[in-house]
Amino acid sequence: MKKISAVVLFFCFHALLIFFQVHKQSHYLKLSYDIQKLQTQHAQLTQQKSHLLYTLHTYQQPRQIQAIAEKKLFMKSIELKDVKKSYETTT
């Protein structure tokens, strides 16, 4: 009787070890998938950051600022005589 109990206990213990091994492996695969997803997202965000920095540096150029002011905001360059005239009308 003790021999049968020991054999059953032995098999139950090994079944439990197998269960934990399978659980560990599935958890490892899930984490590997999450890492891969995060690495892809990191690469995309790095590329987007580079693009935004390039755009920022482009828009900081004086010629680009002037072009935007003239084309999109319909601003015109003013001359010194216009500034004096404007000053005289406000006082």
mmCIF file with all atom_site columns, all heavy atoms in Angstrom, residues 32-50:
data_model
loop_
_atom_site.group_PDB
_atom_site.id
_atom_site.type_symbol
_atom_site.label_atom_id
_atom_site.label_alt_id
_atom_site.label_comp_id
_atom_site.label_asym_id
_atom_site.label_entity_id
_atom_site.label_seq_id
_atom_site.pdbx_PDB_ins_code
_atom_site.Cartn_x
_atom_site.Cartn_y
_atom_site.Cartn_z
_atom_site.occupancy
_atom_site.B_iso_or_equiv
_atom_site.pdbx_formal_charge
_atom_site.auth_seq_id
_atom_site.auth_comp_id
_atom_site.auth_asym_id
_atom_site.auth_atom_id
_atom_site.pdbx_PDB_model_num
ATOM 1   N N   . SER A 1 32 ? 7.856  37.679 -24.419 1.00 0.00 ? 32 SER A N   1
ATOM 2   C CA  . SER A 1 32 ? 8.661  37.871 -25.624 1.00 0.00 ? 32 SER A CA  1
ATOM 3   C C   . SER A 1 32 ? 7.863  38.627 -26.684 1.00 0.00 ? 32 SER A C   1
ATOM 4   O O   . SER A 1 32 ? 8.398  39.518 -27.362 1.00 0.00 ? 32 SER A O   1
ATOM 5   C CB  . SER A 1 32 ? 9.112  36.526 -26.193 1.00 0.00 ? 32 SER A CB  1
ATOM 6   O OG  . SER A 1 32 ? 9.966  35.884 -25.291 1.00 0.00 ? 32 SER A OG  1
ATOM 7   N N   . TYR A 1 33 ? 6.598  38.284 -26.829 1.00 0.00 ? 33 TYR A N   1
ATOM 8   C CA  . TYR A 1 33 ? 5.726  38.985 -27.773 1.00 0.00 ? 33 TYR A CA  1
ATOM 9   C C   . TYR A 1 33 ? 5.558  40.450 -27.363 1.00 0.00 ? 33 TYR A C   1
ATOM 10  O O   . TYR A 1 33 ? 5.625  41.348 -28.203 1.00 0.00 ? 33 TYR A O   1
ATOM 11  C CB  . TYR A 1 33 ? 4.370  38.280 -27.848 1.00 0.00 ? 33 TYR A CB  1
ATOM 12  C CG  . TYR A 1 33 ? 3.371  38.985 -28.711 1.00 0.00 ? 33 TYR A CG  1
ATOM 13  C CD1 . TYR A 1 33 ? 3.496  38.987 -30.099 1.00 0.00 ? 33 TYR A CD1 1
ATOM 14  C CD2 . TYR A 1 33 ? 2.291  39.675 -28.154 1.00 0.00 ? 33 TYR A CD2 1
ATOM 15  C CE1 . TYR A 1 33 ? 2.583  39.646 -30.900 1.00 0.00 ? 33 TYR A CE1 1
ATOM 16  C CE2 . TYR A 1 33 ? 1.377  40.331 -28.941 1.00 0.00 ? 33 TYR A CE2 1
ATOM 17  C CZ  . TYR A 1 33 ? 1.525  40.313 -30.316 1.00 0.00 ? 33 TYR A CZ  1
ATOM 18  O OH  . TYR A 1 33 ? 0.622  40.975 -31.109 1.00 0.00 ? 33 TYR A OH  1
ATOM 19  N N   . ASP A 1 34 ? 5.368  40.694 -26.074 1.00 0.00 ? 34 ASP A N   1
ATOM 20  C CA  . ASP A 1 34 ? 5.230  42.075 -25.587 1.00 0.00 ? 34 ASP A CA  1
ATOM 21  C C   . ASP A 1 34 ? 6.508  42.876 -25.844 1.00 0.00 ? 34 ASP A C   1
ATOM 22  O O   . ASP A 1 34 ? 6.441  44.053 -26.236 1.00 0.00 ? 34 ASP A O   1
ATOM 23  C CB  . ASP A 1 34 ? 4.901  42.088 -24.094 1.00 0.00 ? 34 ASP A CB  1
ATOM 24  C CG  . ASP A 1 34 ? 3.498  41.598 -23.790 1.00 0.00 ? 34 ASP A CG  1
ATOM 25  O OD1 . ASP A 1 34 ? 2.671  41.532 -24.731 1.00 0.00 ? 34 ASP A OD1 1
ATOM 26  O OD2 . ASP A 1 34 ? 3.224  41.282 -22.615 1.00 0.00 ? 34 ASP A OD2 1
ATOM 27  N N   . ILE A 1 35 ? 7.663  42.258 -25.634 1.00 0.00 ? 35 ILE A N   1
ATOM 28  C CA  . ILE A 1 35 ? 8.937  42.940 -25.894 1.00 0.00 ? 35 ILE A CA  1
ATOM 29  C C   . ILE A 1 35 ? 9.050  43.296 -27.363 1.00 0.00 ? 35 ILE A C   1
ATOM 30  O O   . ILE A 1 35 ? 9.459  44.407 -27.719 1.00 0.00 ? 35 ILE A O   1
ATOM 31  C CB  . ILE A 1 35 ? 10.121 42.065 -25.438 1.00 0.00 ? 35 ILE A CB  1
ATOM 32  C CG1 . ILE A 1 35 ? 10.197 42.037 -23.919 1.00 0.00 ? 35 ILE A CG1 1
ATOM 33  C CG2 . ILE A 1 35 ? 11.439 42.566 -26.030 1.00 0.00 ? 35 ILE A CG2 1
ATOM 34  C CD1 . ILE A 1 35 ? 11.206 41.057 -23.366 1.00 0.00 ? 35 ILE A CD1 1
ATOM 35  N N   . GLN A 1 36 ? 8.676  42.361 -28.227 1.00 0.00 ? 36 GLN A N   1
ATOM 36  C CA  . GLN A 1 36 ? 8.753  42.615 -29.669 1.00 0.00 ? 36 GLN A CA  1
ATOM 37  C C   . GLN A 1 36 ? 7.836  43.772 -30.067 1.00 0.00 ? 36 GLN A C   1
ATOM 38  O O   . GLN A 1 36 ? 8.211  44.640 -30.856 1.00 0.00 ? 36 GLN A O   1
ATOM 39  C CB  . GLN A 1 36 ? 8.377  41.344 -30.431 1.00 0.00 ? 36 GLN A CB  1
ATOM 40  C CG  . GLN A 1 36 ? 8.597  41.430 -31.912 1.00 0.00 ? 36 GLN A CG  1
ATOM 41  C CD  . GLN A 1 36 ? 8.273  40.106 -32.597 1.00 0.00 ? 36 GLN A CD  1
ATOM 42  O OE1 . GLN A 1 36 ? 7.536  39.287 -32.048 1.00 0.00 ? 36 GLN A OE1 1
ATOM 43  N NE2 . GLN A 1 36 ? 8.809  39.917 -33.779 1.00 0.00 ? 36 GLN A NE2 1
ATOM 44  N N   . LYS A 1 37 ? 6.630  43.807 -29.505 1.00 0.00 ? 37 LYS A N   1
ATOM 45  C CA  . LYS A 1 37 ? 5.697  44.897 -29.778 1.00 0.00 ? 37 LYS A CA  1
ATOM 46  C C   . LYS A 1 37 ? 6.263  46.232 -29.305 1.00 0.00 ? 37 LYS A C   1
ATOM 47  O O   . LYS A 1 37 ? 6.185  47.238 -30.012 1.00 0.00 ? 37 LYS A O   1
ATOM 48  C CB  . LYS A 1 37 ? 4.367  44.617 -29.075 1.00 0.00 ? 37 LYS A CB  1
ATOM 49  C CG  . LYS A 1 37 ? 3.184  44.535 -29.984 1.00 0.00 ? 37 LYS A CG  1
ATOM 50  C CD  . LYS A 1 37 ? 1.921  44.037 -29.326 1.00 0.00 ? 37 LYS A CD  1
ATOM 51  C CE  . LYS A 1 37 ? 1.511  44.762 -28.095 1.00 0.00 ? 37 LYS A CE  1
ATOM 52  N NZ  . LYS A 1 37 ? 0.193  44.367 -27.587 1.00 0.00 ? 37 LYS A NZ  1
ATOM 53  N N   . LEU A 1 38 ? 6.845  46.252 -28.115 1.00 0.00 ? 38 LEU A N   1
ATOM 54  C CA  . LEU A 1 38 ? 7.406  47.482 -27.573 1.00 0.00 ? 38 LEU A CA  1
ATOM 55  C C   . LEU A 1 38 ? 8.626  47.946 -28.369 1.00 0.00 ? 38 LEU A C   1
ATOM 56  O O   . LEU A 1 38 ? 8.827  49.150 -28.548 1.00 0.00 ? 38 LEU A O   1
ATOM 57  C CB  . LEU A 1 38 ? 7.766  47.301 -26.100 1.00 0.00 ? 38 LEU A CB  1
ATOM 58  C CG  . LEU A 1 38 ? 6.583  47.184 -25.151 1.00 0.00 ? 38 LEU A CG  1
ATOM 59  C CD1 . LEU A 1 38 ? 7.051  46.802 -23.753 1.00 0.00 ? 38 LEU A CD1 1
ATOM 60  C CD2 . LEU A 1 38 ? 5.786  48.470 -25.112 1.00 0.00 ? 38 LEU A CD2 1
ATOM 61  N N   . GLN A 1 39 ? 9.419  47.012 -28.863 1.00 0.00 ? 39 GLN A N   1
ATOM 62  C CA  . GLN A 1 39 ? 10.568 47.391 -29.689 1.00 0.00 ? 39 GLN A CA  1
ATOM 63  C C   . GLN A 1 39 ? 10.105 48.016 -31.004 1.00 0.00 ? 39 GLN A C   1
ATOM 64  O O   . GLN A 1 39 ? 10.697 48.995 -31.475 1.00 0.00 ? 39 GLN A O   1
ATOM 65  C CB  . GLN A 1 39 ? 11.455 46.177 -29.969 1.00 0.00 ? 39 GLN A CB  1
ATOM 66  C CG  . GLN A 1 39 ? 12.272 45.744 -28.769 1.00 0.00 ? 39 GLN A CG  1
ATOM 67  C CD  . GLN A 1 39 ? 13.012 44.448 -29.000 1.00 0.00 ? 39 GLN A CD  1
ATOM 68  O OE1 . GLN A 1 39 ? 12.647 43.652 -29.857 1.00 0.00 ? 39 GLN A OE1 1
ATOM 69  N NE2 . GLN A 1 39 ? 14.053 44.236 -28.218 1.00 0.00 ? 39 GLN A NE2 1
ATOM 70  N N   . THR A 1 40 ? 9.048  47.469 -31.586 1.00 0.00 ? 40 THR A N   1
ATOM 71  C CA  . THR A 1 40 ? 8.494  48.044 -32.816 1.00 0.00 ? 40 THR A CA  1
ATOM 72  C C   . THR A 1 40 ? 7.956  49.446 -32.544 1.00 0.00 ? 40 THR A C   1
ATOM 73  O O   . THR A 1 40 ? 8.204  50.375 -33.321 1.00 0.00 ? 40 THR A O   1
ATOM 74  C CB  . THR A 1 40 ? 7.373  47.139 -33.365 1.00 0.00 ? 40 THR A CB  1
ATOM 75  O OG1 . THR A 1 40 ? 7.892  45.842 -33.583 1.00 0.00 ? 40 THR A OG1 1
ATOM 76  C CG2 . THR A 1 40 ? 6.798  47.697 -34.650 1.00 0.00 ? 40 THR A CG2 1
ATOM 77  N N   . GLN A 1 41 ? 7.240  49.605 -31.449 1.00 0.00 ? 41 GLN A N   1
ATOM 78  C CA  . GLN A 1 41 ? 6.700  50.911 -31.084 1.00 0.00 ? 41 GLN A CA  1
ATOM 79  C C   . GLN A 1 41 ? 7.839  51.903 -30.819 1.00 0.00 ? 41 GLN A C   1
ATOM 80  O O   . GLN A 1 41 ? 7.758  53.068 -31.220 1.00 0.00 ? 41 GLN A O   1
ATOM 81  C CB  . GLN A 1 41 ? 5.813  50.786 -29.851 1.00 0.00 ? 41 GLN A CB  1
ATOM 82  C CG  . GLN A 1 41 ? 5.130  52.075 -29.457 1.00 0.00 ? 41 GLN A CG  1
ATOM 83  C CD  . GLN A 1 41 ? 4.263  51.912 -28.211 1.00 0.00 ? 41 GLN A CD  1
ATOM 84  O OE1 . GLN A 1 41 ? 4.351  50.913 -27.502 1.00 0.00 ? 41 GLN A OE1 1
ATOM 85  N NE2 . GLN A 1 41 ? 3.455  52.903 -27.934 1.00 0.00 ? 41 GLN A NE2 1
ATOM 86  N N   . HIS A 1 42 ? 8.888  51.456 -30.161 1.00 0.00 ? 42 HIS A N   1
ATOM 87  C CA  . HIS A 1 42 ? 10.045 52.319 -29.894 1.00 0.00 ? 42 HIS A CA  1
ATOM 88  C C   . HIS A 1 42 ? 10.681 52.781 -31.201 1.00 0.00 ? 42 HIS A C   1
ATOM 89  O O   . HIS A 1 42 ? 11.043 53.965 -31.338 1.00 0.00 ? 42 HIS A O   1
ATOM 90  C CB  . HIS A 1 42 ? 11.061 51.569 -29.033 1.00 0.00 ? 42 HIS A CB  1
ATOM 91  C CG  . HIS A 1 42 ? 12.269 52.369 -28.705 1.00 0.00 ? 42 HIS A CG  1
ATOM 92  N ND1 . HIS A 1 42 ? 13.428 52.292 -29.432 1.00 0.00 ? 42 HIS A ND1 1
ATOM 93  C CD2 . HIS A 1 42 ? 12.504 53.286 -27.730 1.00 0.00 ? 42 HIS A CD2 1
ATOM 94  C CE1 . HIS A 1 42 ? 14.321 53.110 -28.929 1.00 0.00 ? 42 HIS A CE1 1
ATOM 95  N NE2 . HIS A 1 42 ? 13.789 53.737 -27.889 1.00 0.00 ? 42 HIS A NE2 1
ATOM 96  N N   . ALA A 1 43 ? 10.826 51.890 -32.150 1.00 0.00 ? 43 ALA A N   1
ATOM 97  C CA  . ALA A 1 43 ? 11.415 52.260 -33.447 1.00 0.00 ? 43 ALA A CA  1
ATOM 98  C C   . ALA A 1 43 ? 10.535 53.284 -34.161 1.00 0.00 ? 43 ALA A C   1
ATOM 99  O O   . ALA A 1 43 ? 11.052 54.255 -34.741 1.00 0.00 ? 43 ALA A O   1
ATOM 100 C CB  . ALA A 1 43 ? 11.600 51.010 -34.308 1.00 0.00 ? 43 ALA A CB  1
ATOM 101 N N   . GLN A 1 44 ? 9.223  53.097 -34.121 1.00 0.00 ? 44 GLN A N   1
ATOM 102 C CA  . GLN A 1 44 ? 8.312  54.037 -34.761 1.00 0.00 ? 44 GLN A CA  1
ATOM 103 C C   . GLN A 1 44 ? 8.388  55.414 -34.097 1.00 0.00 ? 44 GLN A C   1
ATOM 104 O O   . GLN A 1 44 ? 8.410  56.451 -34.775 1.00 0.00 ? 44 GLN A O   1
ATOM 105 C CB  . GLN A 1 44 ? 6.877  53.520 -34.717 1.00 0.00 ? 44 GLN A CB  1
ATOM 106 C CG  . GLN A 1 44 ? 6.625  52.339 -35.614 1.00 0.00 ? 44 GLN A CG  1
ATOM 107 C CD  . GLN A 1 44 ? 5.243  51.737 -35.388 1.00 0.00 ? 44 GLN A CD  1
ATOM 108 O OE1 . GLN A 1 44 ? 4.586  51.998 -34.392 1.00 0.00 ? 44 GLN A OE1 1
ATOM 109 N NE2 . GLN A 1 44 ? 4.809  50.902 -36.328 1.00 0.00 ? 44 GLN A NE2 1
ATOM 110 N N   . LEU A 1 45 ? 8.427  55.429 -32.771 1.00 0.00 ? 45 LEU A N   1
ATOM 111 C CA  . LEU A 1 45 ? 8.489  56.704 -32.056 1.00 0.00 ? 45 LEU A CA  1
ATOM 112 C C   . LEU A 1 45 ? 9.826  57.408 -32.282 1.00 0.00 ? 45 LEU A C   1
ATOM 113 O O   . LEU A 1 45 ? 9.871  58.641 -32.383 1.00 0.00 ? 45 LEU A O   1
ATOM 114 C CB  . LEU A 1 45 ? 8.250  56.490 -30.556 1.00 0.00 ? 45 LEU A CB  1
ATOM 115 C CG  . LEU A 1 45 ? 6.824  56.107 -30.174 1.00 0.00 ? 45 LEU A CG  1
ATOM 116 C CD1 . LEU A 1 45 ? 6.745  55.741 -28.700 1.00 0.00 ? 45 LEU A CD1 1
ATOM 117 C CD2 . LEU A 1 45 ? 5.846  57.216 -30.506 1.00 0.00 ? 45 LEU A CD2 1
ATOM 118 N N   . THR A 1 46 ? 10.897 56.642 -32.385 1.00 0.00 ? 46 THR A N   1
ATOM 119 C CA  . THR A 1 46 ? 12.200 57.229 -32.682 1.00 0.00 ? 46 THR A CA  1
ATOM 120 C C   . THR A 1 46 ? 12.201 57.859 -34.067 1.00 0.00 ? 46 THR A C   1
ATOM 121 O O   . THR A 1 46 ? 12.718 58.972 -34.259 1.00 0.00 ? 46 THR A O   1
ATOM 122 C CB  . THR A 1 46 ? 13.303 56.162 -32.582 1.00 0.00 ? 46 THR A CB  1
ATOM 123 O OG1 . THR A 1 46 ? 13.280 55.589 -31.271 1.00 0.00 ? 46 THR A OG1 1
ATOM 124 C CG2 . THR A 1 46 ? 14.678 56.753 -32.845 1.00 0.00 ? 46 THR A CG2 1
ATOM 125 N N   . GLN A 1 47 ? 11.595 57.178 -35.018 1.00 0.00 ? 47 GLN A N   1
ATOM 126 C CA  . GLN A 1 47 ? 11.502 57.719 -36.378 1.00 0.00 ? 47 GLN A CA  1
ATOM 127 C C   . GLN A 1 47 ? 10.630 58.985 -36.388 1.00 0.00 ? 47 GLN A C   1
ATOM 128 O O   . GLN A 1 47 ? 10.973 59.973 -37.035 1.00 0.00 ? 47 GLN A O   1
ATOM 129 C CB  . GLN A 1 47 ? 10.928 56.672 -37.323 1.00 0.00 ? 47 GLN A CB  1
ATOM 130 C CG  . GLN A 1 47 ? 10.877 57.108 -38.763 1.00 0.00 ? 47 GLN A CG  1
ATOM 131 C CD  . GLN A 1 47 ? 10.324 56.011 -39.666 1.00 0.00 ? 47 GLN A CD  1
ATOM 132 O OE1 . GLN A 1 47 ? 9.810  55.004 -39.204 1.00 0.00 ? 47 GLN A OE1 1
ATOM 133 N NE2 . GLN A 1 47 ? 10.420 56.229 -40.961 1.00 0.00 ? 47 GLN A NE2 1
ATOM 134 N N   . GLN A 1 48 ? 9.536  58.969 -35.670 1.00 0.00 ? 48 GLN A N   1
ATOM 135 C CA  . GLN A 1 48 ? 8.657  60.132 -35.597 1.00 0.00 ? 48 GLN A CA  1
ATOM 136 C C   . GLN A 1 48 ? 9.376  61.317 -34.929 1.00 0.00 ? 48 GLN A C   1
ATOM 137 O O   . GLN A 1 48 ? 9.242  62.458 -35.366 1.00 0.00 ? 48 GLN A O   1
ATOM 138 C CB  . GLN A 1 48 ? 7.388  59.785 -34.818 1.00 0.00 ? 48 GLN A CB  1
ATOM 139 C CG  . GLN A 1 48 ? 6.375  60.897 -34.763 1.00 0.00 ? 48 GLN A CG  1
ATOM 140 C CD  . GLN A 1 48 ? 5.134  60.494 -33.970 1.00 0.00 ? 48 GLN A CD  1
ATOM 141 O OE1 . GLN A 1 48 ? 5.095  59.453 -33.334 1.00 0.00 ? 48 GLN A OE1 1
ATOM 142 N NE2 . GLN A 1 48 ? 4.127  61.334 -34.005 1.00 0.00 ? 48 GLN A NE2 1
ATOM 143 N N   . LYS A 1 49 ? 10.158 61.030 -33.892 1.00 0.00 ? 49 LYS A N   1
ATOM 144 C CA  . LYS A 1 49 ? 10.919 62.086 -33.220 1.00 0.00 ? 49 LYS A CA  1
ATOM 145 C C   . LYS A 1 49 ? 11.918 62.710 -34.187 1.00 0.00 ? 49 LYS A C   1
ATOM 146 O O   . LYS A 1 49 ? 12.050 63.946 -34.231 1.00 0.00 ? 49 LYS A O   1
ATOM 147 C CB  . LYS A 1 49 ? 11.651 61.511 -32.010 1.00 0.00 ? 49 LYS A CB  1
ATOM 148 C CG  . LYS A 1 49 ? 12.521 62.509 -31.302 1.00 0.00 ? 49 LYS A CG  1
ATOM 149 C CD  . LYS A 1 49 ? 13.325 61.849 -30.200 1.00 0.00 ? 49 LYS A CD  1
ATOM 150 C CE  . LYS A 1 49 ? 14.330 62.824 -29.615 1.00 0.00 ? 49 LYS A CE  1
ATOM 151 N NZ  . LYS A 1 49 ? 15.236 62.163 -28.678 1.00 0.00 ? 49 LYS A NZ  1
ATOM 152 N N   . SER A 1 50 ? 12.608 61.881 -34.952 1.00 0.00 ? 50 SER A N   1
ATOM 153 C CA  . SER A 1 50 ? 13.572 62.410 -35.921 1.00 0.00 ? 50 SER A CA  1
ATOM 154 C C   . SER A 1 50 ? 12.886 63.300 -36.949 1.00 0.00 ? 50 SER A C   1
ATOM 155 O O   . SER A 1 50 ? 13.394 64.373 -37.301 1.00 0.00 ? 50 SER A O   1
ATOM 156 C CB  . SER A 1 50 ? 14.283 61.264 -36.636 1.00 0.00 ? 50 SER A CB  1
ATOM 157 O OG  . SER A 1 50 ? 15.030 60.515 -35.729 1.00 0.00 ? 50 SER A OG  1
#
